[in-house]
Amino acid sequence: MSQLHTVNKSPLDRNALESAIQHATKGNAVLMIEDGVYGAMQGTQKSAIVSDAIGDISFYVMGPDLKARGIDEARIIDGIKVVDYSGFVELVAKHDATQSWL
Amino acid sequence: MKFSVMISEGPYTHQASDTAYNFTKAALENGHECFRVFFYHDGVNNGTRLATPPTDDRNIVNRWSELAEAHKLDMVLCVAAAQRRGIADADEARRNGKDADNIAPGFRISGLGQLIEAGIQSDRLVTFGD
Amino acid sequence: MSTKKFLYVNRKAPYGTIYALESLEVVLIGAAFEQDVSLAFLDDGVYQLAKGQSTEEVGMKNFSPTYRALGDYDVNKIYVEQESLDARGLTLDDLQPLTYEDEDDDWAEKDSIKVVSTAEMAEIMEQSDVVMSF
């Protein structure tokens, strides 16, 4: 089994991203959407929780949500892939189940 | 692949309904099937036809109704959640002695069993909420 | 109809928002569908099971006794995360006991709550077919 975890909260506000990463097993994917996209940024107090987990877990971020919030892709942590809504659908299809960290 | 979607937040306050709409639309455009869209918690507020957003903003309710019309989507509002929040169809209004109904086109009201059934019958269930 | 592993994930405290109550309503309805059901309580979700809830003064419905009925609905795999308890200064003694009668063991009364580590919780999530979060 392989799971997709979606996170829609800023890691500076809630622990959803941190908890999702702690509960993601090797080979799982984490997709940051809505306010969750702030978790993809370099240089925040929480960037390390993502960069330390890259490798065991695949990280994705919603491009439309980055653009809406004025976040330049150049400021995203290395190794995180940017996807659109079709990419989101593909990720859901590719994994056995999706868990939303609300 | 057969998808179902659960939406747990109302329109406008949270982005959940927008993301769910964009996701569902993309899934349908990519050749997937949508078994059911289930609205729970404040998500039932996506199904009132009385919403009147400013004309320069998106109309979230109409957008769902139009997607349902185009793709024969089964959009279900949870009855218990809808009763709590004052969303009713003609039957519900009559049964509960209300003087009006407000359900938007393309939506229907039914029980939570519809959500469990969506989980059983679909290949994937994706939740959008807060 | 095929049987799937359903996992209901509870990460929110009760009363401040309606999610805990309406999640419990889904679990009760879902019990009729004879699926393989587990409940996970982690992060602030562990507060849902706290002993001694009394809602008279806030004027809300106290739904905590309903958790004790879960055993009668054959919902008896209730996982509570140790690390989430620790982070909140709680132990199992702070939670209300939840039990069920085991029909395979002469209806002996057993504990439904199992305290698990984060790693064990991750494995339970990994093994689930349908994950519902509220």
Side-chain angles (χ1 to χ4, degrees), chain B residues 17-28:
Chain B
S17 184
D18 293 279
T19 307
Y21 173 81
N22 288 319
F23 174 86
T24 305
K25 196 161 160 280
L28 293 165

Side-chain angles (χ1 to χ4, degrees), chain B residues 1 25-26 101:
Chain B
M1 194 169 266
K25 196 161 160 280
D101 66 78

Side-chain angles (χ1 to χ4, degrees), chain A residues 1-3 15-16 19 22-23 25 28 97-102, chain C residues 9 11-12 42-43 81 118 121-122 125-129 131 133:
Chain A
M1 304 277 289
S2 173
Q3 285 219 356
N15 79 333
S19 200
Q22 284 166 357
H23 293 88
T25 54
N28 282 189
T98 300
Q99 177 169 357
S100 305
W101 291 78
L102 303 175
Chain C
V9 177
R11 295 183 53 247
K12 291 177 181 170
L42 62 151
D43 296 330
E81 189 173 275
T118 298
M121 188 65 93
M125 291 171 171
E126 175 81 4
Q127 297 304 325
S128 302
D129 297 313
V131 183
S133 322

Side-chain angles (χ1 to χ4, degrees), chain C residues 29-124:
Chain C
I29 297 286
F33 284 75
E34 298 188 345
Q35 302 293 306
D36 179 353
V37 173
S38 299
L39 269 61
F41 292 88
L42 62 151
D43 296 330
D44 278 355
V46 299
Y47 289 130
Q48 292 182 28
L49 301 178
K51 264 182 194 165
Q53 297 178 30
S54 169
T55 57
E56 275 165 43
E57 291 182 29
V58 291
M60 297 169 85
K61 178 178 160 186
N62 181 354
F63 58 95
S64 65
T66 311
Y67 292 102
R68 295 201 291 273
L70 289 171
D72 299 333
Y73 286 82
D74 287 330
V75 176
N76 50 38
K77 286 188 279 185
I78 299 178
Y79 300 102
V80 175
E81 189 173 275
Q82 181 73 59
E83 285 83 343
S84 299
L85 291 174
D86 292 347
R88 288 158 184 80
L90 300 174
T91 67
L92 191 54
D93 287 342
D94 295 305
L95 308 185
Q96 58 172 343
L98 303 180
T99 58
Y100 71 104
E101 291 175 347
D102 188 350
E103 58 178 315
D104 298 326
D105 190 10
D106 198 23
W107 305 99
E109 191 173 80
K110 297 188 176 175
D111 287 326
S112 300
I113 294 180
K114 192 174 175 208
V115 178
V116 298
S117 67
T118 298
E120 289 169 320
M121 188 65 93
E123 198 49 42
I124 290 161

Side-chain angles (χ1 to χ4, degrees), chain C residues 18-31:
Chain C
I18 198 170
Y19 303 106
L21 167 60
E22 286 190 332
S23 165
L24 190 55
E25 290 180 350
V26 176
V27 174
L28 294 173
I29 297 286

